[in-house]
Amino acid sequence: MPERPPEYPPEYRGSVQPPTVLVVDYGAQYAQLIARRVREAQVYSEIIPADTSVADIVARNPVAVILSGGPASVYAEDAPRVDPELFETGIPILGLCYGFQAMAQALGGEVAPDGTREYGRTELRLTGTAGVLHAGLPSRHPVWMSHGDSVVRAPAGFTVTASSDRVAVAAFEDTERRLAGVQYHPEVGHSPHGQEVLRRYLREVAGITPSWTTASIIDETVAAVRAQIGTGRAICGLSGGVDSAVAAALVHRAIGDRLTCVFVDHGLLRAGERAQVEHDFVAATGATLHTVDAEKRFLDALAGVTDPEQKRKIIGREFIRVFEAATAEVAAEETVGFLVQGTLYPDVVESGGGSGPGSTTATIKSHHNVGGLPDDIEFELVEPLRALFKDEVRRVGIELGLPETIVARQPFPGPGLGIRIIGEVTADRLEILRAADAIAREELTAAGLDGTIWQCPVVLLADVRSVGVQGDARTYGHPVVLRPVSSEDAMTADWTRLPYDVLERISTRITNEVAEVNRVVLDVTSKPPGTIEWE
Ligand code: XMP
């Protein structure tokens, strides 16, 4: 029988694996956050599934293991177990929440469903001996708890260092064996001293020297890309967004002008976006760029189409065709063997893995044989951001000198303004929307709100008209909708309560400066039920 591929293969693509903390994922949403916090403490970390064997963990040679929180009760039949052998390996281990209880249980302590459910903000009280983990912290401070069971007796050899109103054992440590745990979630913002506790664990208890910095990420990734591509050539599609730009900049640093970037201008971009790629990106990196002017092709294909799904399909299809034709052109001249993609670590974890342990590549084959793409062209994927979280990608981009406009860009959909015109997409309508959108973005930036909102689509209701009066004249123009949203991950969103004076400035400027628009309306729908984009 074929072996089941590991769900979370070793992802690090560097030439030498940096000192690594493994975060065991017990199925809550916290594992990624823990891994990010560990990296903020400048120690590289990866997530592994709960059923990873002790032998596999030891083989990875981690500098520490963190057992994450999780929704299960240690009493449940199907609760993920911690193999007690893990504690015999000598690897430093930190247990958090569920991981803390599982650790207590595995080492002979006692966990009880004692009816002391604690959820949310709780006061932590340090006992007489604050221990190493909480040394120097206020003797009472808030932490974030969410648990039903609690540890009622610490295992032998451990010092109890904190309690709460409801639980006697809220933190323990055995610094001799480099083992420790806390009942609360130090990784969340609601535990204001949590990052300090994680940092103290890594440095003072586990004895790890911090080494994961933006400079080290760049050095190691560049070395890995060089090792993978060798003397070959690569191609990278730029979208105008942060991921593809940073991936391209890293690969360019590694192989210089053996990288060719391809940018498809589908005519559905916002004001200034093509210039950002053609001028700012190129000026910052010196990379070779091949722009494809495909506006007419996209507008022709979209002529007469009003159905949102059909628009998306047409834009997606045309994009692949244009990109493949451009790629084939470049590849035919220069025998390109590698395709760069901006895949991030969360995508790797969420899709259940990559291509296998130790592997640095996966092969894809282009299916659309358009524009003379030879049958046998196969690209090997280069994914320089595969080990990185988004905030790390942004820091790398800044360090590589990419402009703020690209690195800090808010999400923008691939189909672009095509799905923000309700009705048929035409060149005139795109001009109107582009002008209105530019004003909204300018004013939001000027008001310092870019960090507060997730994004603010501006939507043109092209098939709707309403009566207005501008100057002394009656107008019959179009409304635009402002859709400011706040979100963590775009899965859910709330409409952002923008200050009235900012809304007023946006509205006044749009109706004054964009002749065809005589009304600005605000979308006050959360997601669900409304999606962020209108189409
Ligand atoms: P919805 O409208 O589904 O959007 O609430 C959620 C997030 O995804 C973005 N979005 C897209 N991004 N290609 C993309 O790259 C797309 O086709 C696409 N459609 C929506 C949207 O801007 C929001 O951030």
Side-chain angles (χ1 to χ4, degrees):
M1 237 174 68
E3 242 182 282
R4 173 172 156 261
E7 285 170 298
Y8 300 70
E11 287 308 337
Y12 189 70
R13 305 286 153 147
S15 41
V16 182
Q17 178 85 11
T20 302
V21 169
L22 295 178
V23 178
V24 183
D25 181 357
Y26 286 117
Q29 70 275 40
Y30 297 107
Q32 285 199 27
L33 196 50
I34 296 167
R36 274 172 54 197
R37 295 283 179 251
V38 171
R39 293 187 191 193
E40 277 167 28
Q42 302 191 327
V43 180
Y44 180 67
S45 61
E46 284 182 11
I47 299 162
I48 57 171
D51 62 359
T52 309
S53 71
V54 173
D56 285 347
I57 291 176
V58 170
R60 300 283 306 274
N61 197 23
V63 288
V65 167
I66 297 182
L67 311 175
S68 82
S73 159
V74 288
Y75 290 106
E77 274 290 303
D78 52 355
R81 301 268 164 233
V82 180
D83 186 339
E85 260 186 45
L86 183 61
F87 301 99
E88 305 299 318
T89 59
I91 299 170
I93 300 167
L94 174 68
L96 305 179
C97 194
Y98 177 80
F100 170 69
Q101 296 173 2
M103 184 173 186
Q105 200 185 45
L107 287 168
E110 199 182 325
V111 181
D114 55 3
T116 59
R117 285 177 177 274
E118 253 179 332
Y119 290 104
R121 215 174 154 87
T122 305
E123 187 178 72
L124 189 76
R125 294 187 202 137
L126 303 185
T127 56
T129 44
V132 177
L133 228 47
H134 297 89
L137 296 184
S139 58
R140 289 166 178 239
H141 63 260
V143 294
W144 191 258
M145 296 267 199
S146 71
H147 63 109
D149 305 335
S150 50
V151 177
V152 292
R153 186 170 49 78
F158 281 78
T159 309
V160 176
T161 58
S163 61
S164 76
D165 239 1
R166 305 266 184 86
V167 297
V169 184
F172 57 43
E173 61 190 47
D174 177 348
T175 50
E176 199 67 12
R177 286 193 285 168
R178 301 187 294 177
L179 305 177
V182 298
Q183 179 59 69
Y184 60 89
H185 289 280
E187 70 276 17
V188 304
H190 300 291
S191 300
H193 297 288
Q195 181 65 14
E196 175 62 12
V197 169
L198 282 175
R199 199 190 66 83
R200 290 191 64 79
Y201 177 77
L202 297 169
R203 302 211 184 155
E204 313 300 330
V205 180
I208 303 166
T209 308
S211 63
W212 183 250
T213 61
T214 306
S216 77
I217 296 173
I218 294 174
D219 285 352
E220 294 176 31
T221 310
V222 164
V225 170
R226 281 194 187 131
Q228 186 188 352
I229 299 183
T231 57
R233 290 181 170 275
I235 198 159
C236 179
L238 294 178
S239 67
V242 54
D243 302 344
S244 61
V246 175
L250 274 167
V251 174
H252 183 260
R253 178 156 296 192
I255 65 166
D257 59 13
R258 285 184 285 122
L259 170 73
T260 303
C261 298
V262 172
F263 174 56
V264 175
D265 181 355
H266 52 22
L268 308 170
L269 295 165
R270 292 174 295 179
E273 286 189 313
R274 177 165 170 170
Q276 269 164 28
V277 176
E278 285 196 311
H279 303 299
D280 304 352
F281 173 80
V282 171
T285 58
T288 308
L289 178 69
H290 182 81
T291 302
V292 187
D293 222 325
E295 177 174 9
K296 183 168 180 331
R297 175 177 178 147
F298 278 81
L299 286 182
D300 286 350
L302 287 167
V305 179
T306 55
D307 176 69
E309 268 320 294
Q310 219 190 328
K311 279 188 193 171
R312 282 175 171 275
K313 283 207 179 88
I314 291 170
I315 296 168
R317 181 195 71 207
E318 292 301 311
F319 192 88
I320 290 172
R321 288 184 180 167
V322 174
F323 183 72
E324 285 189 347
T327 306
E329 215 174 277
V330 175
E333 283 168 20
E334 303 175 1
T335 51
V336 176
F338 298 86
L339 180 70
V340 180
Q341 293 211 323
T343 319
L344 303 190
Y345 188 54
D347 303 329
V348 172
V349 175
E350 273 152 29
S351 66
S355 47
S359 155
T360 57
T361 59
T363 300
I364 57 153
K365 187 171 167 65
S366 299
H367 291 294
H368 296 267
N369 192 358
V370 179
L373 196 68
D375 269 345
D376 56 355
I377 276 204
E378 278 194 15
F379 292 111
E380 191 175 307
L381 288 186
V382 180
E383 299 180 303
L385 313 181
R386 223 182 136 79
L388 305 185
F389 288 105
K390 191 91 176 184
D391 40 347
E392 293 172 317
V393 170
R394 291 210 161 97
R395 284 203 299 276
V396 166
I398 288 165
E399 184 92 2
L400 291 173
L402 291 180
E404 185 75 17
T405 42
I406 293 180
V407 174
R409 193 173 89 143
Q410 290 169 341
F412 182 64
L417 300 180
I419 56 166
R420 293 184 181 172
I421 291 174
I422 311 308
E424 186 189 4
V425 179
T426 66
D428 291 347
R429 290 172 166 189
L430 282 165
E431 274 312 304
I432 297 170
L433 179 54
R434 227 175 250 132
D437 172 80
I439 291 168
R441 284 194 291 146
E442 235 174 82
E443 291 298 333
L444 290 169
T445 303
L449 290 166
D450 288 342
T452 313
I453 54 167
W454 174 263
Q455 64 189 138
C456 179
V458 177
V459 182
L460 176 65
L461 305 186
D463 289 343
V464 176
R465 279 174 182 271
S466 75
V467 174
V469 52
Q470 281 162 311
D472 285 335
R474 175 187 182 277
T475 59
Y476 196 44
H478 298 288
V480 294
V481 181
L482 303 178
R483 173 75 168 131
V485 290
S486 308
S487 178
E488 288 287 321
D489 54 9
M491 299 297 287
T492 61
D494 195 8
W495 59 279
T496 311
R497 277 62 167 172
L498 289 179
Y500 280 170
D501 58 329
V502 177
L503 288 170
E504 184 200 328
R505 273 198 301 280
I506 294 174
S507 164
T508 307
R509 279 196 58 197
I510 291 179
T511 46
N512 280 343
E513 296 172 34
V514 189
E516 299 79 357
V517 177
N518 64 352
R519 217 172 269 276
V520 175
V521 302
L522 180 65
D523 184 343
V524 292
T525 320
S526 61
K527 171 184 178 176
T531 51
I532 293 175
E533 303 292 346
W534 269 46
E535 289 199 333

